Amino acid sequence: GGAGLIKACVEQALVPCIQTGTGICHIYVDKDADLSMALRIVENAKMSRPSVCNAAEVCLVHRDVAKNFLPMLQKILCDPSREHPAKLLLDKEALSIIDGTPADENDFDTEFLDYILAVHVVSDVNEAISHIASHSTHHSESIITQNEQTEASLVLAVKWEFQHRSCTRAVQWGFVS
């Protein structure tokens, strides 16, 4: 459930309980990703069950593939014939590629629990890592790439973060090659 349900359970519980927190979950589409596979993954991660804590809330797209990927993403997620078309909240660069609703900075720190996806175009994997470190709740993050160096960079970033942060739960990184 969302933050309200978690809070109510913790406050009303008569026995000790474990709380999972919120999930501002990211998917990073790397420049070396198979874009048709990436599209299916993002669609599933956002549209299959948008109200769960591990649903995608933010899609980061490498600048080198944004012009190809974002129109495909918009076409499939925002199709008016869908029972629930998605709303895309787009950063300035994404807005220069496709039409949509401008995102504000708070949109990248929001667990929507709805058919809403914030989209941010990044210049490289380091910017993606920085964005995730700043905006994620460290619930579940995914990278879509076919580049082993990109995978290795993200694994090292996660290891560094755990060594320098007090965390009580694990980050799940999904690597799709």
Side-chain angles (χ1 to χ4, degrees):
L5 176 60
I6 292 167
K7 181 180 177 194
C9 289
V10 170
E11 289 173 355
Q12 301 298 317
L14 300 176
V15 297
C17 63
I18 298 171
Q19 55 182 311
T20 60
T22 57
I24 301 175
C25 304
H26 293 73
I27 294 181
Y28 170 56
V29 179
D30 188 51
K31 67 180 179 177
D32 296 314
D34 174 329
L35 297 186
S36 62
M37 179 178 62
L39 186 62
R40 292 189 311 272
I41 291 169
V42 174
E43 178 185 21
N44 182 295
K46 178 73 253 181
M47 305 301 280
S48 63
R49 291 194 56 211
S51 63
V52 297
C53 59
N54 63 339
E57 302 293 5
V58 178
C59 182
L60 304 174
V61 181
H62 193 288
R63 179 171 290 129
D64 290 355
V65 296
K67 287 184 179 161
N68 291 329
F69 184 73
L70 291 179
M72 294 188 313
L73 184 69
Q74 183 179 44
K75 181 178 181 181
I76 196 158
L77 295 189
C78 303
D79 183 348
S81 68
R82 289 185 84 101
E83 182 178 356
H84 301 285
K87 177 179 181 180
L88 300 180
L89 303 176
L90 308 170
D91 75 351
K92 190 178 276 191
E93 191 164 348
L95 271 171
S96 73
I97 298 168
I98 59 173
D99 292 330
T101 303
D104 64 42
E105 194 57 33
N106 293 331
D107 292 328
F108 297 102
D109 294 310
T110 300
E111 183 181 28
F112 299 111
L113 303 173
D114 200 352
Y115 296 96
I116 301 169
L117 183 67
V119 178
H120 180 57
V121 177
V122 295
S123 59
D124 57 24
V125 67
N126 294 321
E127 186 179 347
I129 291 168
S130 177
H131 181 94
I132 291 167
S134 297
H135 299 278
S136 173
T137 55
H138 308 286
H139 185 293
S140 302
E141 317 300 338
S142 296
I143 174 176
I144 305 169
T145 188
Q146 293 180 323
N147 183 317
E148 290 179 13
Q149 286 183 304
T150 300
E151 289 181 21
S153 294
L154 285 165
V155 169
L156 290 174
V158 170
K159 286 181 180 178
W160 182 90
E161 186 166 331
F162 278 120
Q163 290 172 354
H164 295 88
R165 179 187 277 247
S166 125
C167 291
T168 57
R169 57 184 151 42
V171 175
Q172 299 171 348
W173 285 83
F175 295 100
V176 182
S177 296

